[in-house]
Amino acid sequence: MEHIVIIGNGISGVTAARHIRKLSDKKITIVSAETDYFFARTALMYVYMGHMKFEHTQPYENWFWKKNRIELKKGYVKTIETKSKTLHFADGDMLQYDTLVIATGSKPNKFGWPGQDLDGVMGMYHKQDLDNLEKYAPNNKVCKHAVIVGGGLIGIELAEMLNSRNIPVTFLVREDSFWDIVLPEGESKMINRHIKNHHIDLRLGVNLKEIIADENGKAKGVVVAETGEIIDCDVVGLTAGVSPNIDFIKDSDIETGRGVKVNRFLETNIPDVYAIGDCAEQHEAIGQRRPIEAVWYTGRMMGETVAQTICGNRIEHKPGHWYNSAKFLDIEYQTYGWVFAKPGENEIHFHWKHEDDTKCITVCFDKNTNEFLGVNTLGIRMRHETFDKWLTEKRDVDYVMNHLSEANFDPEFYKQYETEILLSFNNQFQKA
Amino acid sequence: MSLAKPDANDLSSKQKVAVASGVVGLFILILALFNTDFINNGLFLTTSLGLIFLGTILFANDAYLSKLLGIKNDGVWFKSISSRGTLGWISGIALTLFYIVLYFYPNLLGLGGNSASNTGLVSLFDPLSKLLNGNPASQWFVYGSLYTVAILAFGYKFILKYRHNKYQQLRTFSVMFFQLGFAFLIPEFMARLNSDTFKLPYYDLKNMWPLNYYNFEQYRIDDFINAGNIGMALLFFGIVSIFVISPFLTYKYGKRWYCSWVCGCGGLAETAGDSFRQLSSKKLSAWKLERWLVHTVLVFVVLMTTSVIYTYLGYDPDKYWLTKGVFLALVGALLTLVFAVVMIFKRNELGKDARYGAIGYFVIIMALFSMHYFSNGSNLFLFEAETLRSTYGFMIGAIFSGVVGTGFYPILGNRVWCRFGCPMAAILGFQQRMFSRFRITTNGGQCISCGNCSTYCEMGIDVRAYAQKGENIVRSSCVGCGICAAVCPRGVLKLENDSMQGRINPNEILLGNDVDLMDLVNKK
């Protein structure tokens, strides 16, 4: 029987395994060095915050794997020998495969900062990072102050986590405004204010120079590059993005760039070896997407897709309209279609913000054709299906603005702002 | 009562003062329990309840008003009270003991039997009882008062906790209103109308059969009939409630209109029980147990009520058209009708288990009915009606709904009764699953499987299992509290009433992927 081995038990690998099982009777083994069972990485923060216990982050009960004949092997793959189709584990173990799916995800970026490997310095990506944080920042007596370096989605989540235990946080962000490489100005600025309202010491436009150690090799402070200021702290969170977790593949015959190079069918240069999720790098970007997409949803889509290919229905990875979501402390963020930080050459951004400074919307459209290109909302929930449909139908912006309430997904009895938004839109663009 | 006391070491000084106030209030009640002779019961009762209110309000103000709007679940699993810690177990045991005493040893609370006057805790409530209904308190009056205090005080706390969420606020106002008005004040005022010539049974109008399993017992029917037009109107309302009003509202809005907007059990669960919602089991095994248990209780209550009514009806159609025979025929016809309609129109929607269950129960009921024709008419079914009635009252009415249902809040979660035992929930749930416009819509492909929704589902529904498949949640047990939608960090869930068409929509491939692939795999 064909043996499918999947390295990595994150959303990509597990989705692939589930779909392969649905489509076939092949033998499936999932390998992970991180945890025994699949858990939702995105939920680790809620464990530290006390909203959930770790077992709540596991979407399937432990009996699920056996029942679906998906074998789980805990172990760290050291090398992949593609000629003999063998995995070699760090503990000397070996495993034969017929088909291999690499789904090893990401690891936190470290940019060679002095002191980046000290005790008390951590990313927030793996289960082990959570354990580490629990060790070095159990409360505000052990951890009197924390510094977070890098203003992206994981950075603000880590800030929220520490905040939940009343640990004072200084948040060093390289950009002049939070996540302004992705968020348009109005949204980014709103989040700046929201972060400060949570009493987080947000420092914009600053970089880390080095992390200073105490006599035991534990972090005791950071030096800010621009000012030379020393900030005392017990924990340093490094959250300056992630990159593919593929160091163990570099010596194999599998072609790598920043990630494992794959074609549109998620095939690597070696037959019967596929790569999906955060660790896969497309030879050429798909549409306006990036060649590497470290996004939950994309990982899941690749898992769904590669399962088809492995089970005989060879299909391209052809993701639909872009969408994403996040939560910045108390403010939810959703996006459908493309809204870039700065409008492109032929694009116009319409921005509306509620006076309470926790809700806003940015709509991007083509200034020549009026075609609706995308929407960002903060603090207002929108319906994925509706926007997906409008994007497919290439609706113009006037249609979208006039029908915005159809896309509203806020809970019942919430105040709706579509009329106000439409009024503002009409005023701004002198529409009747 | 004062259920939400997080670990003292995490409390701010204001919160400590608040807890102290609540504890002093409770302490007065405990003193009363030990027969302390207060000079003025009215004054001490007011002080006690006032301090409890004050403590809860101060606590809630400090816990929520000083913070920005948003989800307030920080540390839920670290607090002893809300994570089955020592405080949780102590409260659970204390509550359970209270219920045992309340149901089986009311004399310990100071209930004066046989025209003796009340002592102890019950006597502390005499002034309030006399004020409202003109009579001394009973243990049920004490219970009703404390119950109402709990819903009002913790309702206030809940409203502050969710002050960014209009849905949560409105439904909490609603349960507070129905508890204070319908469950507490109106029945007391109705009791005031009673005289030697006119007597209405104690009637909480929103509490319909079969939750109110005794509503059609002989003494109540006699009271209704003897009370003339008003009594008949109430009796009629009781029948219409279950057969017309509730199916209609459940069709329009789902069972939430009752379970989390009106019902008293739900009201307590949603307010005082809110701190325990995360303790419900989400295991598949718990779901299996739930389905068998709750439907067994439903069958039990139908049999019990049928037999009770049967025994007091007559034989002679000339005296009254509703004879024993006619009544049995009506019950049989109704059950057969429901069964037939479901099997004809909804057969494919039901899983195998549910179908077997339905067939099994139908056969049982029919078999029991047929036995009637082989018995001599003095006893119905296999058991005496009175045996059934008293067994139900003891096992379900007291032990399940009270002792276990509420006493075990801090251990098994706040909806144990609603989930595993309530026959009303079973009926409404059946209606919700079969024909209701209500569902929880999943927002395309936006789920990140984090598990907040499942964790905070008080009914133990694994909401995430649906959300991560892009599938709407249509479950008979869902009480529509809306907390899953509130705690979702990605805006994935929305409670909605919409058309029945496409309500149940399992997807293998979620929205956002290749359109062709979605078409290929999701073809139905």
Side-chain angles (χ1 to χ4, degrees), chain A residues 11 18-19 22 38 40 42-43 46-53 55-61 63 134 157 160 163-165 194 197-198 289 296-297 300-302 304-305 308 313 315-321 323-327 330 332-336 381-386 388 392 408-416, chain B residues 66 68-78 83-84 164-167 170 256 261 278 282-285 438 441-456 462 464-465 467-469 484-498 507-518 520-521:
Chain A
I11 181 64
R18 280 177 43 242
H19 282 269
K22 274 181 192 157
F38 170 49
T42 46
Y46 298 109
V47 177
Y48 181 81
M49 289 163 70
H51 294 208
M52 294 197 275
K53 299 218 278 186
E55 56 260 37
H56 295 124
T57 67
Q58 297 176 182
Y60 304 99
E61 286 185 63
W63 50 258
E134 197 62 68
E157 285 177 2
E160 182 179 1
N163 216 29
S164 77
R165 295 203 189 180
H194 187 62
N197 285 342
H198 274 274
R289 289 169 183 261
W296 177 271
Y297 310 117
R300 188 175 63 201
M301 286 183 220
M302 290 190 201
E304 292 166 348
T305 308
Q308 295 285 332
N313 175 28
I315 58 168
E316 280 186 43
H317 170 50
K318 222 163 57 182
H321 300 294
Y323 70 99
N324 202 359
S325 65
K327 192 173 181 188
D330 295 317
E332 288 173 20
Y333 158 75
Q334 292 188 339
T335 183
Y336 302 101
R381 293 176 174 181
M382 290 289 171
R383 207 180 280 267
H384 185 182
E385 202 179 348
T386 310
D388 194 76
T392 301
N408 188 293
F409 203 71
D410 273 335
E412 294 155 299
F413 305 115
Y414 269 43
K415 196 168 180 319
Q416 299 204 352
Chain B
S66 60
L68 298 179
L69 305 180
I71 294 304
K72 298 285 174 269
N73 285 334
D74 286 351
V76 163
W77 285 98
F78 305 144
S83 63
R84 293 191 200 99
H164 60 290
N165 191 318
K166 202 79 175 286
Y167 180 78
L170 285 177
R256 57 181 171 153
W261 285 74
Q278 66 283 356
K282 278 77 186 182
K283 287 186 180 153
L284 190 65
S285 50
F438 172 72
T441 307
T442 300
N443 200 6
Q446 286 281 24
C447 177
I448 53 167
S449 302
C450 73
N452 271 294
C453 51
S454 294
T455 305
Y456 285 91
D462 190 359
R464 164 174 57 190
Q468 67 189 0
K469 280 191 282 187
C484 58
V487 298
C488 175
R490 293 293 188 275
V492 174
L493 302 162
K494 178 172 162 68
L495 281 65
E496 286 191 289
N497 311 308
D498 203 342
N507 291 313
E508 294 299 339
I509 306 280
L510 273 76
L511 184 63
N513 206 336
D514 181 3
V515 186
D516 299 335
L517 180 62
M518 286 169 61
L520 175 78
V521 179

Side-chain angles (χ1 to χ4, degrees), chain A residues 350 365 370 398 422-432:
Chain A
F350 161 69
F365 61 98
N370 256 0
D398 298 290
L422 179 64
L423 205 67
S424 161
F425 175 78
N426 288 343
N427 280 340
Q428 197 173 326
F429 298 98
Q430 268 99 50
K431 313 238 175 191

